Amino acid sequence: SGMTAFVSSQAEGLDVDERDMSALSEFYTAALMGLGTKWLQDSMKEDVDDFVSRLARLLEGNIRASLVRCARSKTQDKN
């Protein structure tokens, strides 16, 4: 999926467990699908471009930050 590819690209250079990448991908896929469904249920009142721009600003860097934490945790588990 597109989200899986995006998460994988964000993990570049990090030693991250595939299960962690899969969990992040599934979480963000479900969250975005849920928001899209809610937008449709609300009769699409909010401008989609404004909404997407706001989400992008709010979430920027979160996936990479989560992956960095996963990589650190994996390294600590080895020690």
Side-chain angles (χ1 to χ4, degrees):
S1 75
M3 184 56 72
T4 300
F6 182 74
V7 170
S8 292
S9 74
Q10 293 295 299
E12 188 173 325
L14 299 173
D15 183 19
V16 180
D17 190 300
E18 287 291 327
R19 294 172 297 173
D20 291 335
M21 288 197 301
S22 179
L24 276 172
S25 178
E26 290 174 18
F27 172 79
Y28 277 98
T29 297
L32 293 173
M33 288 177 63
L35 288 170
T37 299
K38 184 181 181 321
W39 180 70
L40 290 170
Q41 289 173 340
D42 291 344
S43 301
M44 302 174 281
K45 292 176 187 168
E46 186 167 6
D47 181 74
V48 70
D49 291 331
D50 290 343
F51 183 69
V52 169
S53 293
R54 183 173 26 268
L55 273 181
R57 187 178 65 252
L58 291 169
L59 298 174
E60 184 176 356
N62 286 347
I63 291 174
R64 176 69 180 190
S66 294
L67 291 165
V68 167
R69 282 191 300 275
C70 291
R72 280 191 207 132
S73 175
K74 187 175 179 184
T75 301
Q76 289 172 354
D77 288 347
K78 288 180 181 178
N79 295 330

